[in-house]
Amino acid sequence: TASISAGLDYPGVGPEHSWLKDIKRANYVAVSDDEVMKAFHMVNKMEGILPALETAHSLAYLEKIKDLGKTLNVVVNMSGRGDKDLYSVMNNDS
């Protein structure tokens, strides 16, 4: 795997995640670095915060699941600090 986020640039999968996928309790998805950067900048502009790039991956995927309906809620834990990722953000060609 390759990711703009150093925290997600690891090809291994733990046994718990493999088991959850096998029993269909979890579904794992991917987004592109461009989508991550778009989400990072959007949240910074709208909320005034710098999400960690790991969190920006989750935010980017929200753009793909807009059709959840009005009765469902989505919670994204805004973990980490995006200021640690500024070097990666500033050096991204996106």
Side-chain angles (χ1 to χ4, degrees), residues 62-74:
L62 288 177
E63 287 291 313
K64 297 182 180 202
I65 57 170
K66 289 181 180 179
D67 61 343
L68 289 175
K70 296 183 180 196
T71 61
L72 296 176
N73 295 310
V74 175

Side-chain angles (χ1 to χ4, degrees), residues 1-85:
T1 71
S3 172
I4 191 168
S5 170
L8 298 177
D9 198 11
Y10 176 73
V13 177
E16 295 89 355
H17 289 286
S18 295
W19 177 69
L20 289 170
K21 181 179 183 284
D22 288 347
I23 65 170
K24 310 235 185 295
R25 294 275 316 267
N27 181 32
Y28 296 91
V29 296
V31 293
S32 70
D33 286 347
D34 289 340
E35 292 168 317
V36 170
M37 294 306 301
K38 180 180 172 188
F40 178 92
H41 290 294
M42 179 187 66
V43 170
N44 178 249
K45 183 176 180 181
M46 292 177 69
E47 302 295 335
I49 60 174
L50 299 171
L53 289 177
E54 295 85 356
T55 300
H57 277 75
S58 298
L59 297 168
Y61 190 70
L62 288 177
E63 287 291 313
K64 297 182 180 202
I65 57 170
K66 289 181 180 179
D67 61 343
L68 289 175
K70 296 183 180 196
T71 61
L72 296 176
N73 295 310
V74 175
V75 176
V76 176
N77 181 13
M78 299 294 280
S79 60
R81 297 182 3 240
D83 61 320
K84 70 173 177 46
D85 298 316

